[in-house]
Amino acid sequence: MQRIPNYILDHFICKLPGSQITLDNMAEAFTMFSLMILSTVIGHCVASTLSSEQHVDENTILDIAEKSNKTFLKLIGLAIQNLRCDLDRCSQWSQWTIDALAPGQFGVKTRSRDCWYASCNKTGQKVVENDSEIFERNCPVSYNITHEKFCVAFIQNKHNYSAAKQLCEKDGGQIINLDTKERYETAKLYTGIIHIQGERRVTGGPFYDDVGGLPLERPFFKWASGQPNDGTSVSNTLMLTSAGYYDAPVGYMCSVLCEVVY
């Protein structure tokens, strides 16, 4: 018997019991099942024509049908071609757009995708499809829950301080504020230099966090060796390494630790 193509099995297995069932994926699962049946039939029809190592897809079937003038094979090849086209008419869904809610509140998240129902190659007139779901605000999927129950995400890609703030706020969070010893110890577990809350409001003035706290007055605050290296006009933000705190220009690029506070 001709082996069922892996791309069919991969899609169908995703729709077996245990997955989230929706009308969309039920329809896709039925389509995949149809492809499996057609592939089995095709295996009997073309086994004598192909070598055991040759990959079979709709183009292979149509080619054999053309050469052998087999109407039935041509029908099957076109059917698979159309089924595959139906599965590939739309782009991937966009990321969910999530309201910045407080933990425990309910809201609506939305996403969209582009679909081309008049062609199989994603050209011509497109239709924008929208999807929405009611959700309860909790720790985002891309974040981790630490041992101390902090909801954090380590963004290793380097950003300046302003971009880092925007990145965290997009998820409903903030650059981590080391206002407790537990947060300080958590942040020290991450390698490299990371942005933390701490910014001068005036040149040469004290560092403040976003709620007006003074990081330098906390008992666990410790400058790294050689820091601070500029206490006047240039270094206006705080960063952290496993060795302690650094001061740096606002435009300094480094990783960031975001936290969604509950």
Side-chain angles (χ1 to χ4, degrees):
M1 180 181 294
Q2 181 67 32
R3 184 173 63 86
I4 297 172
N6 287 337
Y7 75 89
I8 296 176
L9 289 173
D10 291 343
H11 276 81
F12 184 69
I13 289 172
C14 290
K15 307 305 177 187
L16 290 175
S19 299
Q20 184 179 3
I21 298 175
T22 67
L23 290 178
D24 283 344
N25 62 35
M26 286 177 65
E28 186 175 345
F30 177 77
T31 301
M32 290 296 101
F33 182 72
S34 301
L35 285 174
M36 291 174 67
I37 298 300
L38 286 174
S39 296
T40 303
V41 173
I42 290 168
H44 290 293
C45 293
V46 303
S48 61
T49 309
L50 303 173
S51 68
S52 60
E53 299 298 323
Q54 189 169 349
H55 175 70
V56 179
D57 60 17
E58 64 271 27
N59 294 321
T60 309
I61 306 305
L62 290 171
D63 183 59
I64 295 173
E66 183 69 25
K67 292 178 180 177
S68 62
N69 196 27
K70 299 290 186 180
T71 303
F72 178 64
L73 282 182
K74 185 174 183 180
L75 176 63
I76 293 175
L78 290 172
I80 293 179
Q81 189 177 69
N82 290 336
L83 286 171
R84 190 199 292 269
C85 176
D86 287 339
L87 294 174
D88 195 37
R89 290 186 185 276
C90 299
S91 64
Q92 295 294 318
W93 286 106
S94 66
Q95 295 293 319
W96 288 106
T97 299
I98 301 177
D99 297 332
L101 303 175
Q105 290 184 334
F106 289 87
V108 177
K109 60 182 181 180
T110 60
R111 61 179 181 173
S112 63
R113 65 179 180 179
D114 297 328
C115 294
W116 293 262
Y117 291 111
S119 68
C120 282
N121 56 359
K122 294 186 173 69
T123 59
Q125 186 174 3
K126 69 179 179 181
V127 176
V128 178
E129 292 189 347
N130 297 301
D131 185 27
S132 62
E133 290 183 7
I134 296 175
F135 75 103
E136 182 180 8
R137 185 62 172 167
N138 50 27
C139 192
V141 175
S142 58
Y143 280 55
N144 296 310
I145 303 293
T146 70
H147 178 72
E148 293 80 11
K149 306 303 180 184
F150 300 133
C151 173
V152 300
F154 177 57
I155 313 299
Q156 192 166 9
N157 294 338
K158 293 177 172 54
H159 299 79
N160 62 39
Y161 193 80
S162 177
K165 288 186 71 171
Q166 293 178 21
L167 188 66
C168 296
E169 289 169 358
K170 183 183 68 174
D171 294 321
Q174 60 187 24
I175 294 178
I176 193 166
N177 183 15
L178 305 188
D179 56 350
T180 66
K181 181 68 177 296
E182 290 75 21
R183 283 191 172 88
Y184 172 72
E185 295 296 339
T186 295
K188 283 178 61 179
L189 297 175
Y190 295 88
T191 58
I193 302 175
I194 61 173
H195 286 299
I196 58 173
Q197 281 192 34
E199 191 172 7
R200 283 193 172 110
R201 298 176 180 177
V202 295
T203 300
F207 287 94
Y208 292 93
D209 60 28
D210 290 354
V211 294
L214 296 168
L216 274 66
E217 294 185 356
R218 291 163 187 158
F220 49 85
F221 186 93
K222 174 188 174 183
W223 287 113
S225 177
Q227 298 294 314
N229 58 13
D230 184 352
T232 57
S233 61
V234 178
S235 298
N236 292 316
T237 64
L238 284 179
M239 302 178 301
L240 184 75
T241 72
S242 58
Y245 288 78
Y246 276 67
D247 62 346
V250 173
Y252 189 87
M253 307 280 284
C254 66
S255 305
V256 57
L257 188 62
C258 300
E259 181 185 8
V260 173
V261 181
Y262 289 89

